[in-house]
Amino acid sequence: RRAKKAAEEAKRLKKEQLEKEQHELKKRAEKLERRAKRGEEERRRQAGQKAEEDERRAINEEEEKPRVKKRADNYNKRRASKEAEIEQNRKDEPLAKMERRRELEQMRKRSKEMNRRLDEEDDLREDIQMQKTMDRVESNKKASAKLKRNEDEKALRAAILAEKRAARKEHNATTY
């Protein structure tokens, strides 16, 4: 009778221990799921913010292009009218030939400088755009790696739970 009671007590303790472990595993799984859900919501929010920011930047760049072009066109018009005026003065005043030639040369130099600056601005804008694209690609790689880790953790949890279930079934089959 004592042996029987001891065996029943051992069974009861083992059963309580199993229930306790299951409860702990369940709590841990719920905690991990909550954390994963929070992380997913945060990622979605950040992706939305990034999309809005990219859209704003694209709009600003598109608005900037016509202004730069207009500035260059105005400069070229002024230069052309100045050159025409200088040309007219050359016809009118043979004595001021050297002065006009120097002015024309300066105008050409300024024009070249302006065009060079505009080209540099375009190159810089392209470099910035390329860098943004590279940053976006890098961040997408990191996000996909994190998602993969989360999936691996889920698979591991599922395997652990399956093992526990199998152990419980086996225990129940052998004891009852």
Side-chain angles (χ1 to χ4, degrees), residues 81-94 100:
S81 67
K82 186 81 170 170
E83 284 178 358
E85 184 182 321
I86 290 171
E87 203 59 45
Q88 186 62 39
N89 287 342
R90 178 181 288 152
K91 291 175 185 173
D92 296 343
E93 300 175 2
R100 277 187 231 105

Side-chain angles (χ1 to χ4, degrees), residues 61 63-75 114 117-119 121-122 125:
E61 285 175 6
E63 288 174 359
E64 188 66 26
K65 281 180 186 175
R67 273 187 254 159
V68 171
K69 186 175 180 349
K70 191 173 182 181
R71 205 167 55 202
D73 288 348
N74 287 342
Y75 179 80
M114 179 68 149
R117 267 195 231 127
L118 287 172
D119 288 344
E121 286 177 12
D122 287 346
R125 211 174 277 120

Side-chain angles (χ1 to χ4, degrees), residues 1 7 18 26 31 37 51 67 106-107 113 122 130 132 147 153 158 175:
R1 194 181 297 161
L18 273 173
K26 190 176 177 183
K31 186 176 179 182
K37 195 182 285 183
R67 273 187 254 159
Q106 285 178 342
M107 289 293 286
E113 182 64 23
D122 287 346
M130 181 63 80
K132 286 177 191 170
L147 284 174
E153 286 176 7
T175 53

Side-chain angles (χ1 to χ4, degrees), residues 22-38:
Q22 285 175 341
H23 183 67
E24 288 296 319
L25 280 173
K26 190 176 177 183
K27 274 173 48 177
R28 202 165 37 166
E30 288 172 357
K31 186 176 179 182
L32 285 171
E33 285 174 3
R34 281 195 304 270
R35 190 181 302 152
K37 195 182 285 183
R38 268 199 312 270

